[in-house]
Amino acid sequence: MRPKLSVLELYSGIGGMHWALKECGVDHEVVLAVDINTTVNGIYKHNFPSTNLQSFSLEKLTLEKLESLKINTILMSPPCQPFTRVGKKGDCQDVRTKSFLHILRLLDEMKVKPEYLLVENVKGFEVSQTRKELVSCLERCGYVYQEFLLTPLQFGIPNCRLRYYLTARRGKNFAFNVQSQVRSAQHASIENVNWSQQHCSNTINETRCSEHIQKKTVDSDGSSVVSSEGPHTRHPDSCPNETGHLNSHTGAGPLEVSQDDIEAARGNSFALRDAGRNMRYCEDDDDVINAGSKPLWQFMEHLSRDELADYWLSDKELRLFVIMDIVFPALKKSICFTKRYGHYVDGAGSVVQMTTNVEDVRAASEFKSCVVKLKNRTEWGEAELYILRKLQLRYFTPREVANLLCFPPQLEFPPGLSRIQKYRVLGNSLNVHVVAELIKLMTQEVTT
């Protein structure tokens, strides 16, 4: 048995914490959600119209207002920019951290403190001064807490999104033994907290995955996916019609992917994996990936030629081929999607190789080796681009990115959002399934 959660959802974004509450099945009510971003608030309100969503700077939240909510749970994902690996690491001095530190001060002052607290942030937060302020506050306020570094790969989800999480509980111990160090993939099966994919991935309902695949998203905005360089022209298909492709065609874009195509790709996956190994971050470096992990195709859409046309990489984008992480549907890993996805390709997320022709993949792999060796990425002509076009590269669609973040099929975007806006808000979000598992763990009662 778990108590009903009366939740304050801070930095609510597009509602990742709210969707996690719904997935984990704990009785709950989101008393108040707060975010200052008008775009994400529009998405949140579209999906949760009855929730009390407000837009204001959290530094304006008063102790009186907070205590009047009578909440017993706070869920929050504070701004991550002050702690990212590539950022300036302003930490407590970054203006974007001020609201979080204000919340900690209010927590210190509350007469009736919430029983549960969950915080999500990027890897790097765990070594920050802000994290020290957080745990000092929790210790003063009588909380038991546990920190985690978790990736969806541990749950059988084919997306690498390593994040820091903290769960805290006041007045009672957790139903597991707390450890002073941050629990991570290396401590996956310690005691009765089993974060191995064998234990957790089965909680992702297969029917839901099927719904993900069948649901279609149609984007008609046609906005540019090349950073600061204006609209691009998509290449004409100059590849000959050959067997062995997911989309063998002579038209201007990929054809619909059939179940037979998917089966062919799965059957050919070992050869494809070996042929294109240098074009991606390999799966082999992740011990948590195994036979029970789910392949990407379970999270991908069945889309027609017209629906996929806007996701096909242009010749201009293909010239950035060397720095791309290129995956195909049978693989069990993709790299983290960021808010820059669809706008940049350098470290912003994986792109999909739709061909299953091993020789075409091998030719592209050899071409990459030559380019890296000669340090030549600019003097490419038609012959070089022809090799890359045969890979049939495309971006993951926003719906597919949402699937990999475990948002349910019920997540909808309001009309008028561009594709780039969808990528941006998803890149700033969290993995719903991982948070749902943490909420269940955090609220589990100790049994004797």
Side-chain angles (χ1 to χ4, degrees), residues 21 24 43 45 101-102 117 149 160 204 258 296 312 325 329 349 352 375 382 433:
L21 285 165
C24 71
I43 299 168
K45 200 65 179 177
L101 296 175
H102 175 69
L117 187 78
L149 282 174
C160 183
I204 303 176
S258 69
L296 286 164
W312 201 253
D325 179 60
V352 187
K375 297 181 180 180
E382 186 64 24
H433 180 66

mmCIF file of all heavy atoms in Angstrom, residues 21 24 43 45 101-102 117 149 160 204 258 296 312 325 329 349 352 375 382 433:
data_model
loop_
_atom_site.group_PDB
_atom_site.id
_atom_site.type_symbol
_atom_site.label_atom_id
_atom_site.label_comp_id
_atom_site.label_asym_id
_atom_site.label_seq_id
_atom_site.Cartn_x
_atom_site.Cartn_y
_atom_site.Cartn_z
ATOM 1 N N LEU A 21 3.941 9.755 -12.933
ATOM 2 C CA LEU A 21 2.961 9.449 -11.893
ATOM 3 C C LEU A 21 1.843 8.567 -12.428
ATOM 4 O O LEU A 21 1.411 7.614 -11.766
ATOM 5 C CB LEU A 21 2.370 10.748 -11.336
ATOM 6 C CG LEU A 21 3.247 11.575 -10.403
ATOM 7 C CD1 LEU A 21 2.676 12.980 -10.236
ATOM 8 C CD2 LEU A 21 3.402 10.889 -9.042
ATOM 9 N N CYS A 24 3.253 4.910 -13.044
ATOM 10 C CA CYS A 24 3.605 4.065 -11.898
ATOM 11 C C CYS A 24 2.382 3.578 -11.130
ATOM 12 O O CYS A 24 2.496 2.671 -10.304
ATOM 13 C CB CYS A 24 4.574 4.788 -10.977
ATOM 14 S SG CYS A 24 3.863 6.153 -10.043
ATOM 15 N N ILE A 43 2.025 22.838 -24.124
ATOM 16 C CA ILE A 43 1.963 21.384 -24.303
ATOM 17 C C ILE A 43 1.394 20.722 -23.057
ATOM 18 O O ILE A 43 0.556 19.817 -23.131
ATOM 19 C CB ILE A 43 3.358 20.834 -24.639
ATOM 20 C CG1 ILE A 43 3.869 21.449 -25.938
ATOM 21 C CG2 ILE A 43 3.341 19.308 -24.741
ATOM 22 C CD1 ILE A 43 5.336 21.192 -26.217
ATOM 23 N N LYS A 45 -0.607 22.019 -20.778
ATOM 24 C CA LYS A 45 -2.032 22.323 -20.645
ATOM 25 C C LYS A 45 -2.861 21.545 -21.659
ATOM 26 O O LYS A 45 -3.996 21.140 -21.370
ATOM 27 C CB LYS A 45 -2.258 23.835 -20.825
ATOM 28 C CG LYS A 45 -3.574 24.325 -20.245
ATOM 29 C CD LYS A 45 -3.600 24.167 -18.727
ATOM 30 C CE LYS A 45 -4.886 24.679 -18.114
ATOM 31 N NZ LYS A 45 -4.935 24.464 -16.636
ATOM 32 N N LEU A 101 17.796 27.001 -5.333
ATOM 33 C CA LEU A 101 18.293 27.326 -3.997
ATOM 34 C C LEU A 101 17.209 27.998 -3.154
ATOM 35 O O LEU A 101 17.135 27.785 -1.930
ATOM 36 C CB LEU A 101 19.523 28.225 -4.107
ATOM 37 C CG LEU A 101 20.746 27.600 -4.799
ATOM 38 C CD1 LEU A 101 21.856 28.634 -4.943
ATOM 39 C CD2 LEU A 101 21.239 26.372 -4.039
ATOM 40 N N HIS A 102 16.338 28.762 -3.812
ATOM 41 C CA HIS A 102 15.204 29.383 -3.105
ATOM 42 C C HIS A 102 14.245 28.312 -2.586
ATOM 43 O O HIS A 102 13.761 28.396 -1.445
ATOM 44 C CB HIS A 102 14.473 30.336 -4.050
ATOM 45 C CG HIS A 102 13.228 30.937 -3.471
ATOM 46 N ND1 HIS A 102 13.247 31.857 -2.444
ATOM 47 C CD2 HIS A 102 11.906 30.735 -3.777
ATOM 48 C CE1 HIS A 102 12.003 32.197 -2.137
ATOM 49 N NE2 HIS A 102 11.176 31.535 -2.934
ATOM 50 N N LEU A 117 10.436 13.572 -1.843
ATOM 51 C CA LEU A 117 11.089 14.536 -2.725
ATOM 52 C C LEU A 117 11.855 13.756 -3.785
ATOM 53 O O LEU A 117 12.566 12.786 -3.471
ATOM 54 C CB LEU A 117 12.059 15.404 -1.911
ATOM 55 C CG LEU A 117 12.705 16.582 -2.630
ATOM 56 C CD1 LEU A 117 11.709 17.735 -2.743
ATOM 57 C CD2 LEU A 117 13.947 17.049 -1.864
ATOM 58 N N LEU A 149 22.741 7.364 -10.414
ATOM 59 C CA LEU A 149 23.064 7.697 -11.797
ATOM 60 C C LEU A 149 22.523 6.561 -12.635
ATOM 61 O O LEU A 149 23.030 5.431 -12.592
ATOM 62 C CB LEU A 149 24.577 7.846 -11.999
ATOM 63 C CG LEU A 149 25.202 9.153 -11.530
ATOM 64 C CD1 LEU A 149 26.722 9.088 -11.674
ATOM 65 C CD2 LEU A 149 24.653 10.340 -12.332
ATOM 66 N N CYS A 160 20.642 5.964 -24.614
ATOM 67 C CA CYS A 160 21.597 6.289 -23.561
ATOM 68 C C CYS A 160 21.319 7.711 -23.078
ATOM 69 O O CYS A 160 21.550 8.678 -23.808
ATOM 70 C CB CYS A 160 23.019 6.167 -24.103
ATOM 71 S SG CYS A 160 24.278 6.457 -22.853
ATOM 72 N N ILE A 204 7.639 -2.225 -19.163
ATOM 73 C CA ILE A 204 7.179 -1.490 -20.347
ATOM 74 C C ILE A 204 6.264 -2.415 -21.116
ATOM 75 O O ILE A 204 6.678 -3.415 -21.673
ATOM 76 C CB ILE A 204 8.352 -1.064 -21.241
ATOM 77 C CG1 ILE A 204 9.339 -0.230 -20.439
ATOM 78 C CG2 ILE A 204 7.865 -0.291 -22.447
ATOM 79 C CD1 ILE A 204 10.556 0.144 -21.219
ATOM 80 N N SER A 258 7.526 -1.965 -44.326
ATOM 81 C CA SER A 258 6.597 -3.059 -44.038
ATOM 82 C C SER A 258 7.167 -3.949 -42.945
ATOM 83 O O SER A 258 8.347 -3.871 -42.596
ATOM 84 C CB SER A 258 6.363 -3.889 -45.301
ATOM 85 O OG SER A 258 7.547 -4.593 -45.642
ATOM 86 N N LEU A 296 15.574 -0.843 -31.385
ATOM 87 C CA LEU A 296 14.995 0.449 -31.753
ATOM 88 C C LEU A 296 13.700 0.316 -32.532
ATOM 89 O O LEU A 296 12.811 1.150 -32.416
ATOM 90 C CB LEU A 296 16.019 1.252 -32.571
ATOM 91 C CG LEU A 296 17.180 1.842 -31.777
ATOM 92 C CD1 LEU A 296 18.301 2.265 -32.712
ATOM 93 C CD2 LEU A 296 16.709 3.026 -30.939
ATOM 94 N N TRP A 312 14.438 13.109 -44.175
ATOM 95 C CA TRP A 312 15.531 12.604 -45.001
ATOM 96 C C TRP A 312 16.675 13.613 -44.978
ATOM 97 O O TRP A 312 16.474 14.806 -45.190
ATOM 98 C CB TRP A 312 14.978 12.458 -46.419
ATOM 99 C CG TRP A 312 15.701 11.531 -47.331
ATOM 100 C CD1 TRP A 312 16.481 11.888 -48.373
ATOM 101 C CD2 TRP A 312 15.660 10.122 -47.314
ATOM 102 N NE1 TRP A 312 16.955 10.777 -49.003
ATOM 103 C CE2 TRP A 312 16.456 9.668 -48.362
ATOM 104 C CE3 TRP A 312 15.025 9.182 -46.485
ATOM 105 C CZ2 TRP A 312 16.646 8.319 -48.630
ATOM 106 C CZ3 TRP A 312 15.211 7.835 -46.756
ATOM 107 C CH2 TRP A 312 16.009 7.423 -47.826
ATOM 108 N N ASP A 325 26.303 9.802 -35.211
ATOM 109 C CA ASP A 325 26.073 8.459 -34.672
ATOM 110 C C ASP A 325 24.968 7.840 -35.502
ATOM 111 O O ASP A 325 23.814 8.281 -35.449
ATOM 112 C CB ASP A 325 25.663 8.518 -33.200
ATOM 113 C CG ASP A 325 25.388 7.133 -32.637
ATOM 114 O OD1 ASP A 325 26.314 6.306 -32.653
ATOM 115 O OD2 ASP A 325 24.251 6.871 -32.211
ATOM 116 N N PRO A 329 17.495 0.015 -37.277
ATOM 117 C CA PRO A 329 16.381 -0.379 -36.397
ATOM 118 C C PRO A 329 16.612 -1.585 -35.505
ATOM 119 O O PRO A 329 15.965 -1.691 -34.462
ATOM 120 C CB PRO A 329 15.243 -0.634 -37.390
ATOM 121 C CG PRO A 329 15.532 0.289 -38.523
ATOM 122 C CD PRO A 329 17.024 0.270 -38.666
ATOM 123 N N GLY A 349 22.140 13.665 -31.093
ATOM 124 C CA GLY A 349 21.280 12.486 -31.151
ATOM 125 C C GLY A 349 21.594 11.657 -32.370
ATOM 126 O O GLY A 349 22.193 12.131 -33.339
ATOM 127 N N VAL A 352 19.064 7.636 -38.271
ATOM 128 C CA VAL A 352 18.689 6.269 -38.630
ATOM 129 C C VAL A 352 19.181 5.923 -40.032
ATOM 130 O O VAL A 352 18.908 6.647 -40.991
ATOM 131 C CB VAL A 352 17.162 6.072 -38.581
ATOM 132 C CG1 VAL A 352 16.816 4.603 -38.779
ATOM 133 C CG2 VAL A 352 16.589 6.581 -37.277
ATOM 134 N N LYS A 375 41.801 13.445 -43.179
ATOM 135 C CA LYS A 375 41.269 14.693 -42.616
ATOM 136 C C LYS A 375 40.659 15.572 -43.712
ATOM 137 O O LYS A 375 40.896 16.775 -43.786
ATOM 138 C CB LYS A 375 42.355 15.458 -41.863
ATOM 139 C CG LYS A 375 42.907 14.693 -40.664
ATOM 140 C CD LYS A 375 43.956 15.488 -39.918
ATOM 141 C CE LYS A 375 44.489 14.690 -38.732
ATOM 142 N NZ LYS A 375 45.528 15.441 -37.983
ATOM 143 N N GLU A 382 30.271 14.311 -56.357
ATOM 144 C CA GLU A 382 29.081 13.481 -56.548
ATOM 145 C C GLU A 382 29.339 12.027 -56.173
ATOM 146 O O GLU A 382 28.478 11.358 -55.605
ATOM 147 C CB GLU A 382 28.616 13.583 -57.997
ATOM 148 C CG GLU A 382 27.311 12.874 -58.301
ATOM 149 C CD GLU A 382 26.118 13.452 -57.564
ATOM 150 O OE1 GLU A 382 26.179 14.644 -57.191
ATOM 151 O OE2 GLU A 382 25.135 12.730 -57.363
ATOM 152 N N HIS A 433 9.768 6.498 -17.922
ATOM 153 C CA HIS A 433 9.767 5.177 -17.286
ATOM 154 C C HIS A 433 10.736 5.111 -16.110
ATOM 155 O O HIS A 433 10.418 4.538 -15.055
ATOM 156 C CB HIS A 433 10.115 4.101 -18.314
ATOM 157 C CG HIS A 433 10.143 2.720 -17.733
ATOM 158 N ND1 HIS A 433 9.015 2.099 -17.250
ATOM 159 C CD2 HIS A 433 11.170 1.854 -17.518
ATOM 160 C CE1 HIS A 433 9.340 0.893 -16.788
ATOM 161 N NE2 HIS A 433 10.642 0.726 -16.942
#
